Amino acid sequence: MGRLPFIIAACIFIIAFDIYCYKAIIAVFKKWKPTTKKVFAIAYWSYSLLLIFGVFCGIYLNLFLTLRAIILVAFFLTVACKLAMLPFLILDDLRRLFIKIFRRNKKSEVSTAQSTPAEPISRSEFLVKAGLVAAAVPLTSLSWGIISGAYDYQVRRVNLILPNLPKAFDGITMGQISDIHSGSFYNKTAVKGGVEMLLGEKPDFVFFTGDLVNNLTNEVRDYQDIFSKVKAPLGVYSTLGNHDYGDYFFGKESSPAKVKNLKDMVDVHKVMGYDLLMNENRRLKVDGEEIGILGIENWGMGRFPKYGKMELAVQHTDDLPVKLLLSHDPSHWRGEVLKKYPQIDAMFSGHTHGMQFGVRFKEVQWSPVQYIYKEWAGLYQEQKQQLYVNVGYGFLGYPGRVGILPEITIFTLKRA
């Protein structure tokens, strides 16, 4: 597959990185007995090579989800710890290089150096040990994020003010979940608990804004019964995310297997009772008054696919006083909606996950993902148009969350 060269290159980099870290540790603990060093070397390299082998198996073999999750946990924790060490090791090597150059250029020591060899420059134990301590920080925080953060569902309540909202809709509630990524789950009880939290809020209608799976539709088979329980009096409306098309498994080119995978995805939404909107719209009616629910296929800036066709989604909606858009990728809002579709009152997205790492309080939020996405979590407004970005129900890659917890959003629609 096309990703094989990238994976091989990543493995080569990881092995080189391992050699660098290993030499640093051995140099600091040079007083270890030969048997201790031998045991450490065997354990260190056995773990590293086994981890790389496990990653290949997780990608190319149909392993149990739990086993695949364990491999991913170990991989991310290991890489994070070594990356935390890296700045200290580089700083120490630069220090040693500077001292070596300084000694060579110090003319006053030339004669001394000729008669008496200079002492070899050993690694700074302080810096390397400081690096080991620094490595414990991500180990602790990321481990806690797996233990407590992955399924720590948070209900966020938002008043959504829509100036043209019909009176019949004033006070109606709407739920949103996004980015389920069922292929990453390993705890059905916890996932079920999150769905029960959503149902306990008794929303009048619900949006699911894409990424039901990681790569293949069959990943949802063990969780389909749980998400089928998501019901609401006015319906559950859904759209597809970039992971739902099979692009990351089959590639971007069409094939019979990829076409079938997408058909299966559409069928799953139907079986679960979700009204999947693929460049189309619905009229939501309450007491004789209507608003529009529009949904498009994935449309993202940069490397993400642009399957969505807004020109189709907005057809026959000119008479509707309020139009709510489901679009998985928040970059669509600034990339197309604000520029070409001023009739969209509010758009609902996911996709960013808040990078599953950061801080999020009522007045302050920060995540590294904000340097990639201008709109990445919460409610945004530009003139009369609004965007809400849900940071996701599930997780991808790192099987946990630190600071940016899984989200269930409950909106109360209000007139101006």
Side-chain angles (χ1 to χ4, degrees), residues 157-214:
R157 305 179 194 282
V158 180
N159 288 328
L160 188 66
I161 299 173
L162 301 164
N164 298 321
L165 188 70
K167 188 175 181 180
F169 287 86
D170 191 19
I172 270 183
T173 58
M174 182 195 90
Q176 183 194 4
I177 57 173
S178 190
D179 298 86
I180 287 173
H181 288 288
S182 52
S184 298
F185 289 142
Y186 52 88
N187 188 334
K188 288 189 75 170
T189 302
V191 174
K192 183 181 177 182
V195 168
E196 289 172 350
M197 285 177 67
L198 170 62
L199 295 176
E201 296 294 324
K202 298 181 179 178
D204 294 296
F205 61 106
V206 175
F207 286 171
F208 168 59
T209 44
D211 278 359
L212 183 62
V213 298
N214 296 344

Side-chain angles (χ1 to χ4, degrees), residues 25 101 196 218 221 301 323 338 369 373 379 401 407:
I25 295 170
I101 293 172
E196 289 172 350
N218 62 18
R221 65 184 180 273
M301 297 289 285
K323 301 172 189 64
L338 289 177
V369 80
Y373 289 92
L379 187 64
R401 286 174 175 262
E407 177 178 357

Side-chain angles (χ1 to χ4, degrees), residues 310-329:
M310 279 293 293
E311 66 274 14
L312 299 180
V314 299
Q315 284 183 353
H316 313 301
T317 61
D318 291 344
D319 63 310
L320 295 170
V322 166
K323 301 172 189 64
L324 307 180
L325 172 67
L326 287 76
S327 180
H328 175 72
D329 192 321

Side-chain angles (χ1 to χ4, degrees), residues 112-164:
T112 306
Q114 289 175 344
S115 58
T116 307
E119 290 185 12
I121 303 164
S122 62
R123 283 185 176 272
S124 166
E125 287 194 24
F126 171 77
L127 283 173
V128 177
K129 287 181 178 179
L132 291 171
V133 172
V137 175
L139 177 63
T140 303
S141 61
L142 292 175
S143 297
W144 181 249
I146 295 166
I147 294 167
S148 92
Y151 301 101
D152 188 9
Y153 301 107
Q154 303 291 303
V155 175
R156 299 186 73 89
R157 305 179 194 282
V158 180
N159 288 328
L160 188 66
I161 299 173
L162 301 164
N164 298 321

Side-chain angles (χ1 to χ4, degrees), residues 87-377:
F88 294 90
L89 303 186
I90 292 174
L91 181 62
D92 185 50
D93 279 337
L94 290 174
R95 178 195 65 81
R96 294 166 63 227
L97 179 62
F98 175 77
I99 293 172
K100 189 175 288 186
I101 293 172
F102 178 76
R103 286 183 178 178
R104 283 181 179 176
N105 293 337
K106 197 172 181 184
K107 294 181 180 179
S108 60
E109 294 184 0
V110 170
S111 58
T112 306
Q114 289 175 344
S115 58
T116 307
E119 290 185 12
I121 303 164
S122 62
R123 283 185 176 272
S124 166
E125 287 194 24
F126 171 77
L127 283 173
V128 177
K129 287 181 178 179
L132 291 171
V133 172
V137 175
L139 177 63
T140 303
S141 61
L142 292 175
S143 297
W144 181 249
I146 295 166
I147 294 167
S148 92
Y151 301 101
D152 188 9
Y153 301 107
Q154 303 291 303
V155 175
R156 299 186 73 89
R157 305 179 194 282
V158 180
N159 288 328
L160 188 66
I161 299 173
L162 301 164
N164 298 321
L165 188 70
K167 188 175 181 180
F169 287 86
D170 191 19
I172 270 183
T173 58
M174 182 195 90
Q176 183 194 4
I177 57 173
S178 190
D179 298 86
I180 287 173
H181 288 288
S182 52
S184 298
F185 289 142
Y186 52 88
N187 188 334
K188 288 189 75 170
T189 302
V191 174
K192 183 181 177 182
V195 168
E196 289 172 350
M197 285 177 67
L198 170 62
L199 295 176
E201 296 294 324
K202 298 181 179 178
D204 294 296
F205 61 106
V206 175
F207 286 171
F208 168 59
T209 44
D211 278 359
L212 183 62
V213 298
N214 296 344
N215 295 303
L216 298 172
T217 300
N218 62 18
E219 293 169 2
V220 77
R221 65 184 180 273
D222 294 332
Y223 294 89
Q224 185 174 318
D225 58 332
I226 294 176
F227 290 106
S228 294
K229 296 180 186 298
V230 178
K231 306 291 183 185
L234 298 178
V236 179
Y237 303 88
S238 62
T239 192
L240 299 182
N242 54 298
H243 282 266
D244 293 325
Y245 294 88
D247 289 355
Y248 302 111
F249 186 85
F250 298 104
K252 293 185 178 180
E253 298 299 321
S254 182
S255 67
K258 186 178 178 183
V259 170
K260 183 182 184 302
N261 182 74
L262 182 58
K263 181 184 180 298
D264 291 343
M265 174 62 66
V266 173
D267 290 343
V268 163
H269 280 251
K270 189 180 298 183
V271 168
M272 292 195 305
Y274 294 10
D275 189 352
L276 180 61
L277 303 175
M278 300 180 71
N279 307 318
E280 51 193 318
N281 62 74
R282 302 287 185 265
R283 288 172 174 262
L284 196 62
K285 183 179 288 189
V286 174
D287 295 339
E289 297 185 296
E290 293 180 322
I291 64 172
I293 307 295
L294 291 70
I296 72 161
E297 296 189 60
N298 193 81
W299 194 108
M301 297 289 285
R303 64 187 177 89
F304 295 104
K306 293 180 173 61
Y307 297 127
K309 294 178 174 60
M310 279 293 293
E311 66 274 14
L312 299 180
V314 299
Q315 284 183 353
H316 313 301
T317 61
D318 291 344
D319 63 310
L320 295 170
V322 166
K323 301 172 189 64
L324 307 180
L325 172 67
L326 287 76
S327 180
H328 175 72
D329 192 321
S331 67
H332 180 222
W333 191 59
R334 195 162 294 280
E336 185 179 47
V337 174
L338 289 177
K339 296 175 182 177
K340 299 180 181 179
Y341 297 94
Q343 68 268 45
I344 300 299
D345 296 274
M347 177 173 134
F348 301 87
S349 300
H351 184 63
T352 71
H353 297 210
M355 204 173 268
Q356 298 168 210
F357 177 83
V359 292
R360 196 177 185 197
F361 302 109
K362 189 173 182 180
E363 301 296 333
V364 177
Q365 61 183 25
W366 175 88
S367 167
V369 80
Q370 72 186 53
Y371 305 113
I372 303 172
Y373 289 92
K374 188 172 182 179
E375 293 83 25
W376 61 276

